[in-house]
Amino acid sequence: MLSSLDMTKSLDKGTYDATLKELQLELVRAQRKIVEKRIPVLIVFEGMDAAGKGGAIKRMTAKLDPRGFEVHPIGPPDAHECRFHYLRRFWVRVPSYGRIGVLDRSWYGRVLVERVEALCPKKAWQRAYEEINEFERQLIDDDTVLLKFWLHITEDEQLARFEARQKDPYKRWKITKDDWRNREKWNDYVEAAEEMLARTSTAAAPWTVVPANDKYYARVLVLKATLAALNAAIDRKAFGHAGEGCTTVPSGGARSLLETKG
């Protein structure tokens, strides 16, 4: 899948600026409808190091109402989280009805970094594909809009971005020894990503694979795909269904709730 991407796709600065402004406005409008119709939205970003995940998330959330979304940067599990099944720490980050959750890295770490770096037994990451598909199926069955983006860059482009970060005092914090070390396992990560995409891109939860050598093109593609999915969900909810969450009992108690429903 990754080898067939057209990595030359790009946008000029003028087109990017105008398109970004328009898409961000449409996203604000969609967010209001998401709130009104109580639709939960979960957006997952994965990709090679320096592929532009943070930049895409920044442009996606820049104009949104901050009360309606949360961004979760996902790092290694802490000692407490290691006591539980790896999916537990993602269940607690699932957005409530009417909110948007954004994950910078996700449960796919089990079949990517944990696989490549041998941080879990082989049998654990091999069974994770089925566990992940079932987890996502449950989210979708509860009317969650689930979007999964893989941002892909070439090995040469990654090197150029690493070197640029190393020279820029404002971006130097983005580059670590682990980033340089991971480059030595580029082929291993590509192999793991290819298998992940093949085994977890389902009809219910497909991956959107983004050629991201050009940041402008990647950001616009991500916003367009997000808006398309949100608008489709809003249309499905046009009849006013508010999800299957529990009903809040008013202060008068259960009797008052029954009486208000006639």
Side-chain angles (χ1 to χ4, degrees):
M1 187 179 295
L2 298 179
S3 61
S4 65
L5 287 177
D6 182 357
M7 303 302 293
T8 65
K9 290 182 177 295
S10 63
L11 281 180
D12 64 82
K13 183 67 161 58
T15 301
Y16 166 73
D17 287 340
T19 306
L20 178 65
K21 184 176 181 180
E22 178 183 345
L23 293 174
Q24 287 176 329
L25 178 58
E26 289 299 316
L27 196 57
V28 170
R29 292 169 176 160
Q31 185 190 22
R32 295 312 310 156
K33 294 178 182 178
I34 290 295
V35 173
E36 293 169 5
K37 298 184 181 299
R38 302 184 70 235
I39 302 172
V41 179
L42 186 55
I43 305 173
V44 171
F45 283 87
E46 291 284 357
M48 305 301 284
D49 291 336
K53 297 179 293 295
I57 292 171
K58 181 177 180 180
R59 274 70 184 183
M60 173 182 288
T61 60
K63 304 301 182 181
L64 295 181
D65 181 346
R67 299 170 297 178
F69 74 87
E70 190 168 4
V71 176
H72 303 277
I74 303 299
D78 59 30
H80 174 71
E81 291 170 329
C82 285
R83 296 171 55 210
F84 305 98
H85 190 277
Y86 72 98
L87 284 176
R88 177 186 180 275
R89 66 179 180 139
F90 300 105
W91 269 118
V92 300
R93 290 175 169 87
V94 170
S96 57
Y97 296 115
R99 292 183 62 83
I100 299 172
V102 181
L103 296 182
D104 186 351
R105 303 291 190 185
S106 68
W107 48 86
Y108 283 101
R110 174 57 53 119
V111 295
L112 291 171
V113 64
E114 292 184 34
R115 166 184 170 168
V116 174
E117 303 296 337
L119 298 176
C120 68
K122 183 176 181 179
K123 64 180 181 180
W125 64 257
Q126 285 181 328
R127 71 168 182 263
Y129 299 112
E130 183 178 351
E131 294 170 341
I132 288 170
N133 287 340
E134 178 58 28
F135 170 61
E136 294 177 354
R137 180 74 260 176
Q138 291 179 63
L139 293 176
I140 293 164
D141 286 346
D142 194 42
D143 292 334
T144 298
V145 177
L146 177 61
L147 288 164
K148 305 186 301 188
F149 292 105
W150 175 270
L151 273 60
H152 195 64
I153 55 176
T154 61
E155 193 171 4
D156 288 343
E157 178 63 21
Q158 185 190 64
L159 177 60
R161 294 185 185 185
F162 276 13
E163 292 176 340
R165 289 178 177 183
Q166 196 75 49
K167 296 175 183 177
D168 187 341
Y170 294 104
K171 294 183 178 181
R172 197 170 294 154
W173 60 271
K174 291 185 174 183
I175 190 77
T176 68
K177 292 181 180 179
D178 286 340
D179 294 323
W180 289 107
R181 183 179 59 82
N182 290 344
R183 270 186 59 80
E184 299 174 4
K185 299 183 179 181
W186 175 273
N187 291 334
D188 293 333
Y189 275 101
V190 170
E191 180 183 355
E194 289 278 18
E195 184 171 3
M196 176 200 75
L197 294 169
R199 298 185 63 176
T200 63
S201 192
T202 62
W207 280 95
T208 299
V209 182
V210 181
N213 269 8
D214 183 83
K215 294 180 179 180
Y216 294 161
Y217 177 84
R219 293 166 186 170
V220 166
L221 192 155
V222 165
L223 285 181
K224 285 183 175 180
T226 300
L227 274 169
L230 296 188
N231 287 331
I234 291 165
D235 289 342
R236 290 195 299 269
K237 288 282 190 175
F239 57 90
H241 176 57
E244 298 180 358
C246 58
T247 303
T248 301
V249 178
S251 58
R255 181 174 176 82
S256 296
L257 176 63
L258 292 172
E259 289 174 349
T260 58
K261 290 188 174 181

